[in-house]
Amino acid sequence: MNSVISFLVNDFLTTPTLLIGLLILLGYILQKAGPVKTVTGTISAMVGMQLIIFGGNQFSNVFKPITTAVCDATGIQGYIMDSYAMKAASQEALGDAFGWMAYVFLIAFAVNLLLVFFGKYTKMKGVFLTGNAGTAHSQAMLWLIMANFALPSVATIIISGILVGIYWAVSTTLAAGVVDEVTDGGGFTVGHNQQVGIWVFGRLAPKLAGKKKIDCEDMKLPGWLAIFNNNVASVAILMFVFVGLFCIPLGISGIEELSGGQHWLVYLIMVGIQFSMYMVILLQGVRMLCSELTASFQGIQQKIVPNAIPAIDVAALLPFSPNAATIGFLFCTLGTVFSMAILLLTGSSMMMLPGFTPLFFSGGPIGVVANKKGGLRAVIICCFLLGVIQTFGTCWAITQIHYPSATGWSGMFDLSTVWPAVIQVLRWIGGIFGITA
């Protein structure tokens, strides 16, 4: 039994490419599309998904050592807002109970599927397919429930799984309408860490558009500034400037040490080029995946689950407005730095350190959403506000894990707002029955 569960959690359900491939295959079989289209469509979708995952991972791989080096150089100590830091901290905090995560994940997936299957009554549509985020959610919720409530092990696992499953179904469904508008009917929703955030800012952005809505992708700059009218060039140049400013505390010698001996200017130029390259890879992956999703998933919707919408990695949104994604990342970073300054000036006992993941994979997609709904002005305001909310929300979440030696928390919108709010409500209820830890 344990080997079966291990295979499902560690090898199959947590590998998004395999899940997407299975769904595309099933969809084409149900449509009786024929063997050639079924095989080629399935493989194309899997390659597209893998390109999205690769591009997204490479963004983090490029920036993570830079963040670490800057933190070491400045001597700033605190909690890191990063999904990987949260996963490491939760594994350490859970100890021998870490293995329970597999059961939480399976219960969550089953609850998600049931809620969508009975979508006629529940109104739920999104099927969460981002396995790496799903395992992080399972660890985090298990950690929160164990830290806040004195419950038997079986009850802890079941409650954690049900809560995660409900979150997956509700949040992905909330985001579905906004994602559909942003992608012009892309046929998917988002399953990551900021679905509720996408819905919130999707509603807020139109109110911030101002009298003249300026689309980030349609901005036509005069003279030499016209180079920023090209998405590939603008991403490369803006990231070169941003990373250069971010690395100032390292000095030239520190940058060259970080680069492994490469000249500091060459290193910064190549970082910008790499970011732009990974954006192009993402764009190609999204095109391949979305074309097959739209065509094949109709079979599943018609024959099995009428309401089902696949919820995939948030990186799939980035290519729909690359300029807005970059601007969103920059202003989310500014909002985070602003919030760090407030924590410092108020003498807070906690200091939040920005990780690349919440800055780019919340700031970027929400920038895309804000641009579609409200244009440039909305992108600037929404993403600056996002940085503030994620920073102070992480402070709130940290108070609930009751583990002083933790290295950090996810820092992304939903896990810094919705999750601590749910735990707070459950603590009030648990207090009535005397089961709070």
Side-chain angles (χ1 to χ4, degrees), residues 215-250:
D215 191 316
C216 294
E217 305 308 309
D218 293 335
M219 291 188 300
K220 299 299 180 183
L221 300 173
W224 67 269
L225 291 175
I227 58 176
F228 290 101
N229 293 330
N230 180 285
N231 290 333
V232 174
S234 63
V235 170
I237 294 170
L238 288 173
M239 291 311 303
F240 163 75
V241 173
F242 171 79
V243 175
L245 292 174
F246 191 76
C247 287
I248 286 176
L250 298 178

Side-chain angles (χ1 to χ4, degrees), residues 40-343:
T40 57
T42 299
I43 293 175
S44 293
M46 293 175 73
V47 171
M49 189 68 202
Q50 199 62 30
L51 286 173
I52 293 171
I53 293 170
F54 174 78
N57 287 341
Q58 290 305 110
F59 282 127
S60 296
N61 291 340
V62 169
F63 201 76
K64 193 171 183 179
I66 298 173
T67 303
T68 301
V70 171
C71 289
D72 291 343
T74 56
I76 296 175
Q77 299 296 320
Y79 295 96
I80 303 171
M81 294 186 288
D82 185 85
S83 298
Y84 298 103
M86 182 186 75
K87 290 177 75 172
S90 64
Q91 184 169 349
E92 179 183 307
L94 290 169
D96 293 339
F98 177 72
W100 298 356
M101 179 273 294
Y103 298 101
V104 173
F105 183 93
L106 290 177
I107 292 170
F109 196 69
V111 168
N112 185 187
L113 289 177
L114 281 173
L115 289 172
V116 174
F117 184 79
F118 292 104
K120 180 180 178 180
Y121 310 102
T122 65
K123 309 303 180 185
M124 299 296 106
K125 299 178 180 180
V127 179
F128 196 94
L129 299 176
T130 314
N132 56 331
T135 54
H137 294 165
S138 301
Q139 291 177 222
M141 184 60 76
L142 182 61
W143 184 11
L144 286 169
I145 295 299
M146 288 183 65
N148 289 276
F149 305 97
L151 294 168
S153 58
V154 174
T156 297
I157 292 169
I158 292 173
I159 291 172
S160 300
I162 290 173
L163 288 172
V164 173
I166 292 173
Y167 164 71
W168 287 350
V170 172
S171 65
T172 56
T173 301
L174 279 176
V178 179
V179 172
D180 193 61
E181 183 178 349
V182 169
T183 62
D184 295 321
F188 65 90
T189 183
V190 166
H192 202 250
N193 297 295
Q194 61 294 87
Q195 298 87 262
V196 176
I198 286 171
W199 176 75
V200 168
F201 287 105
R203 294 176 67 87
L204 176 62
K207 298 177 174 61
L208 302 173
K211 294 182 180 180
K212 185 178 181 181
K213 177 182 172 183
I214 302 173
D215 191 316
C216 294
E217 305 308 309
D218 293 335
M219 291 188 300
K220 299 299 180 183
L221 300 173
W224 67 269
L225 291 175
I227 58 176
F228 290 101
N229 293 330
N230 180 285
N231 290 333
V232 174
S234 63
V235 170
I237 294 170
L238 288 173
M239 291 311 303
F240 163 75
V241 173
F242 171 79
V243 175
L245 292 174
F246 191 76
C247 287
I248 286 176
L250 298 178
I252 291 177
S253 60
I255 296 174
E256 292 185 343
E257 181 180 349
L258 175 65
S259 69
Q262 192 175 35
H263 190 278
W264 66 274
L265 182 58
V266 173
Y267 173 73
L268 294 178
I269 291 172
M270 290 309 300
V271 166
I273 295 298
Q274 285 175 317
F275 266 89
S276 187
M277 177 183 69
Y278 298 137
M279 185 67 76
V280 172
I281 290 173
L282 271 173
L283 178 60
Q284 180 61 31
V286 170
R287 285 171 178 162
M288 293 175 66
L289 176 61
C290 288
S291 63
E292 301 300 339
L293 267 178
T294 303
S296 71
F297 215 74
Q298 294 174 2
I300 294 175
Q301 292 171 329
Q302 293 168 1
K303 301 292 179 65
I304 302 179
V305 188
N307 296 298
I309 302 175
I312 62 176
D313 197 300
V314 73
L317 284 184
L318 300 177
F320 286 93
S321 186
N323 286 348
T326 305
I327 295 169
F329 163 58
L330 294 173
F331 277 91
C332 182
T333 302
L334 289 176
T336 301
V337 172
F338 172 77
S339 303
M340 291 170 62
I342 292 177
L343 289 174

